[in-house]
Amino acid sequence: MAHPAIIRQVMATQAVMETSLRPLLTADLGSPPSGQVLVRYLWLCLAHSDVERVRVLFLDGRGHLLRDEEIARGDNRHAVLDPRAIVRRCLDLGAQRLVVAHNHPSGDPAPSVTDRRATDSLVAAARLFNIQVVDHVVLASGGWSSMRALGWLGK
């Protein structure tokens, strides 16, 4: 196990890097998040975590970032994606679009059947309020995948 001082230093460095990259996300994210800045940011935030974490980027109608929040933290095999809570938060913030991202501590970035079902539920719930799920990105030490690029989010 790593020494606590080293862990604190790594976490502080990660926080500084997240903070320094966040302003770059204010650019238009209206297109699928294949942009390197977005992927690098999400990778930094999530890819190497030892537990599953779900993060949501809440966007306005033009794709500008309103808020970036970690909305769930699980164990080393799963985290719960709650569509109702995400849609409620969109309504609170006035978000019209969102990007969901989560990590797979296993190292395999392939979306699971559970990931697909949760995303389908989120898309259906969001659609009721005219909120667009721009993408659901899965990150892992072995790479990343985009559900939109895989054709799983529809048009």
Side-chain angles (χ1 to χ4, degrees):
M1 181 159 183
H3 190 274
I6 293 172
I7 292 172
R8 283 192 302 275
Q9 185 176 9
V10 168
M11 290 176 67
T13 301
Q14 180 177 353
V16 168
M17 291 173 70
E18 281 183 32
T19 302
S20 66
L21 280 175
R22 190 168 291 134
L24 298 175
L25 294 179
T26 59
D28 187 0
L29 298 178
S31 58
S34 58
Q36 288 302 312
V37 171
L38 178 61
V39 171
R40 285 181 185 160
Y41 175 74
L42 293 171
W43 179 277
L44 175 67
C45 296
L46 296 170
H48 300 287
S49 178
D50 60 351
V51 296
E52 273 204 23
R53 296 166 47 206
V54 180
R55 199 170 191 113
V56 178
L57 303 179
F58 297 95
L59 312 171
D60 69 12
R62 294 186 52 207
H64 294 112
L65 183 68
L66 297 172
R67 208 60 181 261
D68 168 18
E69 296 180 0
E70 182 174 301
I71 54 118
R73 185 179 289 248
D75 58 25
N76 65 342
R77 292 181 28 219
H78 77 285
V80 176
L81 189 150
D82 182 355
R84 183 174 42 190
I86 294 171
V87 169
R88 183 181 303 126
R89 189 66 177 136
C90 283
L91 296 172
D92 290 345
L93 295 170
Q96 296 174 8
R97 296 177 176 179
L98 63 96
V99 174
V100 177
H102 83 278
N103 66 306
H104 282 174
S106 67
D108 180 4
S112 68
V113 172
T114 303
D115 294 340
R116 287 186 68 178
R117 286 185 187 140
T119 302
D120 289 345
S121 295
L122 175 59
V123 168
R127 189 174 290 134
L128 294 172
F129 296 92
N130 296 318
I131 298 167
Q132 179 191 11
V133 178
V134 176
D135 205 345
H136 183 161
V137 181
V138 181
L139 301 109
S141 59
W144 63 278
S145 61
S146 157
M147 290 196 194
R148 175 158 305 279
L150 292 168
W152 296 345
L153 287 182
K155 299 291 178 202

